[in-house]
Amino acid sequence: MLGKTAGGLFWMFRYLERAENTARLLEAGWHIALTRSGGSSNEWQSILTTAGMDKAYLAKHDSFDANYVINFMLCDKDNPSSVMSVITSARNNARLVRTALSSEVWEATNECWMVLKDLLAKPVTERALHDTLMQIRFRTSVVRGALHGTMLRNDIFSFSRLGTFIERADNTARILDVKYYVLLPSTAYIGKAIDNAQWEVILRSVSAERSYRWINGGESTAMGIAEFLILDASMPRSLAFCVKQIGEHLGNLEKQYGTRHESCIQAEAFCHKINAHSIDSIFEEGLHEFLSSLVADNAKLAQHVEEDYRFYG
């Protein structure tokens, strides 16, 4: 496969996952802001910081007003990481690799872009936020479903899934970090009602509330939720699951191309790092420090994948 095609597939699905993750992050911030009795500007600032959009936002706005933040993250044309910007980038990459995609995947991607272009043509109000975020998540999931239902399990599929899981691992680490390190107003609140309510919001934001209940019953604790989202390899948005999938797809590429690249070695080390920890050792080390190191490791792994297969986003 040409590096240009591999890169188009990788970035197409990174961008689609990023759009969905931004919607999930906004939903988490919105719900957490609702649990606060005081002002919520800190929550919106935290969401921007987590998404890596804070500097670009402050270059355009001087306050963290909810409506400004929402629309900057969803539809601002000057923000290259807004949902509309990344959906457009995903579609552009899909056009580049159209011959490598099934007609269903292309049509789902194109329809996703058309629907969201109309939906995000006007500013989104807080009242309309929930429905808008649901549409973003639904449309991106349709593309993912078309990929699973119609594509061969070959190198095309592997590059697509690598983009998805590298982006998802980054998001899960960041959304956990924004809860524990940034959103919680004081360590004095840890274990209190507001803390537990916010952890449950994080579960809902990654569609994990029901599956967590199935495994843990009615008991909900910060450590239990963190363990589920970091170490449970059966949960499709956990860090352990994402890293396992990255390793498997890099292994598939190694078999198909007959070459073992540095990215395979990095993925194995990444997987071992997670599996070598218990939730107790993670909290002893410091959850923020652990998550920050995983974000850095994931970024390094993504760079190696791009270099090994000679494509650049």
Side-chain angles (χ1 to χ4, degrees):
M1 180 187 292
L2 293 173
K4 185 177 181 181
T5 303
L9 292 163
F10 179 84
W11 279 101
M12 171 188 171
F13 282 91
R14 276 203 79 165
Y15 285 133
L16 284 166
E17 184 70 20
R18 188 173 300 178
E20 180 174 343
N21 291 340
T22 298
R24 289 177 179 276
L25 190 58
L26 271 171
E27 184 177 20
W30 181 55
H31 281 293
I32 289 175
L34 293 177
T35 67
R36 291 290 182 82
S37 57
S40 60
S41 62
N42 183 57
E43 282 75 10
W44 295 113
Q45 180 181 1
S46 301
I47 294 303
L48 285 165
T49 301
T50 302
M53 301 181 193
D54 51 329
K55 292 182 180 178
Y57 177 86
L58 288 171
K60 193 169 185 176
H61 302 284
D62 55 8
S63 67
F64 295 100
D65 178 81
N67 286 322
Y68 288 161
V69 174
I70 289 167
N71 285 285
F72 183 78
M73 295 182 71
L74 289 180
C75 54
D76 195 313
K77 294 179 180 179
D78 296 328
N79 177 13
S81 296
S82 71
V83 167
M84 196 63 241
S85 294
V86 298
I87 287 294
T88 299
S89 295
R91 180 177 180 265
N92 290 341
N93 277 280
R95 290 177 65 186
L96 177 69
V97 299
R98 189 168 176 176
T99 56
L101 301 172
S102 67
S103 59
E104 288 86 350
V105 173
W106 162 251
E107 288 165 6
T109 305
N110 194 46
E111 186 173 355
C112 174
W113 174 78
M114 290 189 295
V115 169
L116 295 184
K117 183 181 179 183
D118 290 341
L119 186 66
L120 300 175
K122 297 180 180 179
V124 179
T125 64
E126 282 194 72
R127 178 176 293 181
L129 181 61
H130 175 73
D131 291 341
T132 301
L133 298 179
M134 289 294 289
Q135 270 295 318
I136 295 167
R137 290 169 58 177
F138 172 71
R139 289 295 167 183
T140 54
S141 69
V142 170
V143 181
R144 189 165 56 246
L147 177 80
H148 277 281
T150 66
M151 296 292 292
L152 291 171
R153 270 39 177 182
N154 55 11
D155 50 354
I156 293 172
F157 187 80
S158 289
F159 281 117
S160 301
R161 298 306 279 161
L162 279 171
T164 295
F165 286 112
I166 284 175
E167 188 69 30
R168 186 177 295 179
D170 180 81
N171 178 73
T172 296
R174 287 176 182 275
I175 203 169
L176 275 168
D177 195 35
V178 75
K179 160 63 191 78
Y180 195 78
Y181 186 70
V182 185
L183 287 184
L184 199 63
S186 168
T187 55
Y189 288 95
I190 295 176
K192 302 296 175 62
I194 186 173
D195 184 36
N196 293 335
Q198 290 175 359
W199 277 105
E200 291 182 9
V201 165
I202 297 303
L203 273 181
R204 289 198 297 272
S205 74
V206 294
S207 302
E209 186 177 24
R210 181 168 295 183
S211 54
Y212 179 82
R213 303 289 178 219
W214 283 338
I215 293 175
N216 297 282
E219 185 178 0
S220 174
T221 65
M223 188 170 284
I225 292 170
E227 181 177 23
F228 185 59
L229 296 183
I230 297 171
L231 301 177
D232 195 320
S234 66
M235 197 275 158
R237 289 189 173 273
S238 74
L239 287 164
F241 184 91
C242 291
V243 173
K244 180 181 178 183
Q245 289 294 312
I246 292 168
E248 288 183 2
H249 287 292
L250 284 171
N252 291 340
L253 291 172
E254 179 183 346
K255 291 177 183 177
Q256 290 178 55
Y257 295 152
T259 304
R260 182 171 176 79
H261 288 298
E262 179 64 25
S263 53
C264 289
I265 299 171
Q266 291 291 327
E268 289 175 359
F270 197 2
C271 189
H272 176 74
K273 180 175 182 176
I274 291 179
N275 293 334
H277 279 81
S278 66
I279 195 61
D280 290 326
S281 67
I282 289 172
F283 271 72
E284 286 175 8
E285 176 183 329
L287 183 59
H288 169 66
E289 289 73 17
F290 181 75
L291 293 171
S292 295
S293 70
L294 292 188
V295 169
D297 289 343
N298 190 61
K300 184 185 298 183
L301 176 57
Q303 183 178 1
H304 278 296
V305 171
E306 295 186 71
E307 291 174 350
D308 290 344
Y309 294 96
R310 302 297 187 270
F311 63 86
Y312 301 92

